[in-house]
Amino acid sequence: MAARALSLDTVVDRLTPAALRKTERAPLAPALDAEVRHVDTWSAGRLAYYVDTRAAGRPVVLLHGVDAAASSKEMAPLFDALRGERPVYALDLPGFGLSERADRPYDREIFRAAVRRFLTDVVRADGGADVVALSLSSEFAAAVACEEMSLVHSLVLLSPTGLGREAPGASAVLRAVSRVPHVAEALFRVLVTPPSIRWFLRKSFVGDPDPGLVEYAVATAKEPGAHRAPLAFIAGDLFTEDAFQRLYARLPVSTLVLYDHDPHARFDRLDALVKQNARVQAARVAPTRGLPHFDRLDATLQAVRNFWAQDPW
């Protein structure tokens, strides 16, 4: 019996060195053990979010931070702890997690618009949602609260950026490199190797970094287009200039800032903020290094629940 002729694709594949072959990638797994839904936006494309609405009450919206390999996995401890008490949503921000990572300009307006659209068209909470934001996402959430108070009932800001005396962001060299396409993507690939991710995450934990967070960060950083939003972050395009005055001092909703030591953010002006804006209060969760809901989950939850119970405004 004559052997079947090989297709041209098969011949080419067999003659191509393994390192140059295109490999089939399994789709990125969900970051949370929850239902995944999507919402289409004009400026950021399709956004993914996780939801558990079995419980009743005011919705809680969780916003992960912004870094080289961010995703809703960063909010997993809070999602799992609150899902039986309140309706809980966790949004993958533009360019991260299961959300679209298309080639588009990423700036703070895209992120603000994504949060605003999510709260308006998906959560749709009467009287606004209780929003919990991590790090740089605190600026996006604060901006939305200042612009449309009806969407946000309260804010919990975990290790927020924008409270230091010096402007946040990367060095001038990194900002310059981040704007050179091929060089920037190569830089990103160096930043997201497994050893590099472990090294960076270790700085944000008192002890060893959470293994699940490390594993998911490595996986999400390998997705096509994963470099685009993080490079905008490195370039400084996502920060708000003088967030203290433009955002936090103007906050019209009850706000809790949770903080301690953080290698990526400073809180030099936090005391001044509490004095200037009566709607803002602060609580130290120690010892932590930027991710209090991982290192001290019980203490974080106690502070957040006490804050929600006050409901002073």
Side-chain angles (χ1 to χ4, degrees):
M1 183 176 179
R4 289 180 295 178
L6 296 176
S7 70
L8 179 60
D9 288 343
T10 302
V11 173
V12 171
D13 184 66
R14 289 185 178 181
L15 293 177
T16 301
L20 300 181
R21 294 176 191 162
K22 292 184 178 179
T23 58
E24 293 294 328
R25 291 181 51 81
L28 181 65
L32 306 177
D33 182 16
E35 181 182 359
V36 180
R37 299 180 187 172
H38 297 85
V39 58
D40 292 316
T41 69
W42 178 80
S43 59
R46 173 162 279 202
L47 302 179
Y49 64 94
Y50 302 86
V51 57
D52 188 322
T53 57
R54 291 175 295 177
R58 187 181 303 281
V60 176
V61 173
L62 307 176
L63 302 177
H64 64 78
V66 177
D67 51 67
S71 74
S72 289
K73 189 70 172 180
E74 296 177 352
M75 307 305 283
L78 292 177
F79 190 98
D80 291 338
L82 296 171
R83 67 194 306 174
E85 303 175 10
R86 307 268 294 275
V88 184
Y89 298 79
L91 174 66
D92 273 342
L93 293 170
F96 293 102
L98 298 180
S99 288
E100 187 176 309
R101 309 186 192 213
D103 187 4
R104 58 168 55 88
Y106 289 88
D107 57 26
R108 62 176 176 264
E109 296 304 327
I110 277 186
F111 287 82
R112 291 179 179 184
V115 173
R116 188 184 306 110
R117 171 71 188 278
F118 186 67
L119 292 172
T120 302
D121 295 344
V122 175
V123 182
R124 294 178 292 185
D126 291 337
D130 288 326
V131 179
V132 182
L134 174 64
S135 192
L136 178 53
S137 287
S138 298
E139 296 186 21
F140 309 145
V144 173
C146 289
E147 295 165 2
E148 298 188 44
M149 179 181 173
S150 63
L151 298 178
V152 180
H153 179 258
S154 74
L155 285 174
V156 173
L157 309 181
L158 307 176
S159 302
T161 57
L163 290 175
R165 298 192 186 281
E166 298 180 359
S171 68
V173 173
L174 277 178
R175 287 197 296 271
V177 169
S178 70
R179 300 187 188 282
V180 182
H182 296 299
V183 177
E185 188 169 353
L187 168 66
F188 175 78
R189 293 303 165 197
V190 172
L191 292 175
V192 297
T193 60
S196 180
I197 285 177
R198 290 190 194 95
W199 184 82
F200 277 109
L201 282 176
R202 189 175 293 116
K203 296 172 67 176
S204 296
F205 283 83
V206 172
D208 292 332
D210 180 81
L213 183 59
V214 173
E215 181 181 359
Y216 199 83
V218 170
T220 191
K222 294 179 180 178
E223 288 294 289
H227 62 288
R228 292 178 176 130
L231 288 177
F233 164 68
I234 292 173
D237 296 338
L238 307 187
F239 293 94
T240 299
E241 185 178 355
D242 195 7
F244 180 92
Q245 290 294 350
R246 294 189 177 187
L247 300 176
Y248 300 136
R250 297 176 50 232
L251 278 172
V253 300
S254 184
T255 301
L256 172 66
V257 176
L258 296 183
Y259 73 104
D260 190 25
H261 297 290
D262 190 324
H264 308 297
R266 294 186 61 86
F267 311 105
D268 307 310
R269 305 178 74 184
L270 180 55
D271 288 343
L273 175 62
V274 172
K275 293 177 182 177
Q276 184 170 337
N277 189 335
R279 290 179 171 82
V280 179
Q281 57 183 287
R284 192 162 205 153
V285 182
T288 59
R289 297 185 56 78
L291 297 173
H293 52 303
F294 278 91
D295 272 328
R296 297 290 308 280
L297 177 59
D298 289 344
T300 300
L301 286 171
Q302 181 177 356
V304 172
R305 287 170 176 146
N306 289 344
F307 167 68
W308 285 338
Q310 296 171 14
D311 199 17
W313 302 98

